[in-house]
Amino acid sequence: MPATGIPKEDRQPHSPPRQRLTLTGRKNVLAVVPTVTFFQRVCEVLPLVETDLRVQVHFSAPPHDLGDGLARLAHGLGISVLPWERAVRTDFDLALAAGPTGLDAVRAPVITMPHGAGFQKRRRGGHGLRVPGLCPEDILLPGGRPPAAVALPHRDDLDLLARSCPEALPAATVVGDPVRDRIAHSLRRRRAYRRALGLLPGQKLVVLPSTWGPCSSFARIEALLPRLLTELPADRYRVAVLIHPNAWAVHGPYQLRAWLRQLRRRGGAVVPPEDDWRPVLIAADWIVGDHGSVTVYATLTGRPMLLAASPVQEINPHAAAAELAHTAPALTPSCPLTEQLRHARAEYRPERYRPIAARISSEPGRFGRNMRRLLYRTLGLGEPAHPVEAEPLPLPPSLDAWAAAGRPPRSGEATA
């Protein structure tokens, strides 16, 4: 074996990723997954092709500053990650990505899509409105050419794309949003999710989703944490914190759990990035969020919410998050937290939030159908002769299990 560690026969530029496959002659799909966030969104799409015996799916992770946690997540799912230096020397029939990282080196027709609830944020600097995911540097490939397809969740995104990157407009196709459809399909299982979480009769669940960065609600946890510890009676309220995977990557699981140790000791759950947050959101009685995608998705649940952060300078003014910032009441330090929760519930009007939820997707319930058609058209294959079946979200672990995760054993407790 050469010093590179790659067998000689595998080092040819056009060789398939594995030379000893049992099933050969497949269409090869590359999932470009540099971070946990991108990985999770791509994994919402892969079930549309992964069981097709004509298709082989490969995963590879280009270098990324926020890539911590990806290896642990992939290992837990039994996924072998192809080394990036090998992936870029290989021809694929399709590459699927939820972000721009590494796409300049990929040798395949590329389909790009957003990794959250549309395009909620704006990019600082430059002239005019710059929206991450719709800027030329996020979409165009070497030579200024567009990808094979730009998958968009809403028809309104076409207007923004036409202004920000008109070169990519011919490649754009509106497919909908997979997360929106899974949440909507699973709302009927709310009681089952609450039982799985371990909520007792009469207990209320307060869910705190946070995006990442200095304008997020988690960035204000120093002010909010004491209120959660002292103002919410532990026998009547349970708390679950949903922190963006990028924050886990930057600070690390140990540090995040340590910062929230007092909350966890009181039964507060810190949901790790590798676990599914959507059943927790559906089970909530209140959402206390910010301008991130998870809070926008929470408008689908029909539950009252408060905003702990909604920075105008961070929000795309044409996005659902901007309308939500003008609709949901803002958390204030001058009033007891329980009173604010009661006020949010008393003042909640579902009809005010439905238009916001409708801005997530203009193809509600049709993402699977639309995206599968796009994938197979790009692969040059006929679609399977069966409809796309929507699956409800799985049952979550208990809040107690999440509260105890990573906690040092107490004196006298057995260790594994």
Side-chain angles (χ1 to χ4, degrees):
M1 180 177 288
T4 60
I6 301 173
K8 183 177 180 181
E9 66 271 18
D10 285 356
R11 290 187 290 126
Q12 300 302 316
H14 299 285
S15 63
R18 301 180 186 274
Q19 290 287 348
R20 297 177 178 87
L21 294 173
T22 299
L23 295 181
T24 59
R26 313 295 104 175
K27 292 283 189 176
N28 287 290
V29 175
L30 177 65
V32 183
V33 288
T35 71
V36 170
T37 306
F38 296 169
F39 180 96
Q40 290 171 331
R41 181 49 63 102
V42 169
C43 283
E44 289 294 319
V45 178
L46 291 177
L48 299 172
V49 299
E50 65 186 5
T51 61
D52 192 329
L53 291 174
R54 300 171 296 171
V55 177
Q56 167 79 44
V57 176
H58 309 268
F59 293 78
S60 192
H64 198 289
D65 292 342
L66 301 173
D68 288 358
L70 181 63
R72 181 174 64 252
L73 176 57
H75 178 75
L77 294 173
I79 291 172
S80 297
V81 179
L82 186 69
W84 183 247
E85 62 273 13
R86 190 172 174 185
V88 298
R89 298 200 309 269
T90 302
D91 292 324
F92 293 90
D93 299 291
L94 170 64
L96 190 62
T101 305
L103 297 187
D104 57 337
V106 169
R107 295 163 53 160
V110 176
I111 295 178
T112 66
M113 58 186 173
H115 55 265
F119 307 93
Q120 303 302 324
K121 297 182 181 180
R122 67 195 304 175
R123 183 171 289 161
R124 298 183 184 183
H127 300 286
L129 178 64
R130 294 173 54 77
V131 178
L134 293 177
C135 298
E137 61 267 30
D138 295 334
I139 297 179
L140 299 181
L141 302 176
R145 57 189 175 89
V150 179
L152 300 174
H154 202 286
R155 67 175 69 93
D156 290 348
D157 298 323
L158 292 168
D159 294 335
L160 191 55
L161 180 64
R163 294 197 299 270
S164 60
C165 187
E167 304 94 322
L169 194 59
T173 180
V174 178
V175 296
D177 185 295
V179 173
R180 180 264 168 218
D181 287 357
R182 290 289 299 281
I183 291 175
H185 185 69
S186 303
L187 290 174
R188 56 188 171 84
R189 301 194 73 194
R190 182 171 187 268
R191 290 184 179 179
Y193 296 146
R194 289 177 66 85
R195 286 195 300 268
L197 290 170
L199 291 166
L200 301 176
Q203 280 188 325
K204 303 299 183 181
L205 177 61
V206 181
V207 176
L208 285 78
S210 175
T211 187
W212 67 297
C215 294
S216 67
S217 59
F218 187 70
R220 306 181 182 186
I221 196 65
E222 288 179 271
L224 186 55
L225 184 58
R227 306 189 69 179
L228 296 172
L229 293 172
T230 60
E231 297 184 33
L232 297 182
D235 60 334
R236 291 191 287 126
Y237 293 90
R238 300 296 300 269
V239 175
V241 182
L242 312 176
I243 305 172
H244 195 285
N246 287 357
W248 286 86
V250 169
H251 297 290
Y254 165 81
Q255 186 61 76
L256 284 183
R257 291 191 178 109
W259 280 334
L260 296 172
R261 185 170 297 155
Q262 293 303 317
L263 180 65
R264 291 164 56 220
R265 284 176 176 170
R266 290 173 58 88
V270 182
V271 180
E274 60 267 22
D275 287 353
D276 201 328
W277 49 266
R278 294 170 294 185
V280 183
L281 202 68
I282 293 172
D285 293 286
W286 289 275
I287 292 96
V288 181
D290 57 17
H291 58 300
S293 289
V294 177
T295 306
V296 173
Y297 283 125
T299 60
L300 296 163
T301 66
R303 300 295 149 184
M305 60 176 59
L306 294 161
L307 292 182
S310 54
V312 174
Q313 71 276 16
E314 290 269 324
I315 301 175
N316 170 11
H318 303 288
E323 187 174 352
L324 182 60
H326 297 295
T327 303
L331 190 68
T332 173
S334 61
C335 181
L337 186 53
T338 52
E339 290 188 16
Q340 294 187 65
L341 294 176
R342 285 195 293 268
H343 175 80
R345 183 174 57 191
E347 295 296 317
Y348 179 75
R349 300 292 181 270
E351 62 273 12
R352 298 182 62 198
Y353 290 83
R354 290 190 192 112
I356 302 173
R359 298 183 66 176
I360 298 173
S361 169
S362 60
E363 292 288 318
R366 295 185 289 272
F367 174 84
R369 183 197 68 181
N370 295 338
M371 191 68 181
R372 190 176 76 168
R373 183 180 301 140
L374 174 61
L375 292 171
Y376 278 91
R377 185 172 71 239
T378 307
L379 286 170
L381 293 174
E383 291 187 59
H386 59 77
V388 177
E389 295 184 1
E391 294 186 5
L393 296 166
L395 296 176
S398 70
L399 295 171
D400 290 338
W402 279 324
R407 182 188 298 165
R410 297 174 183 172
S411 177
E413 286 183 339
T415 57

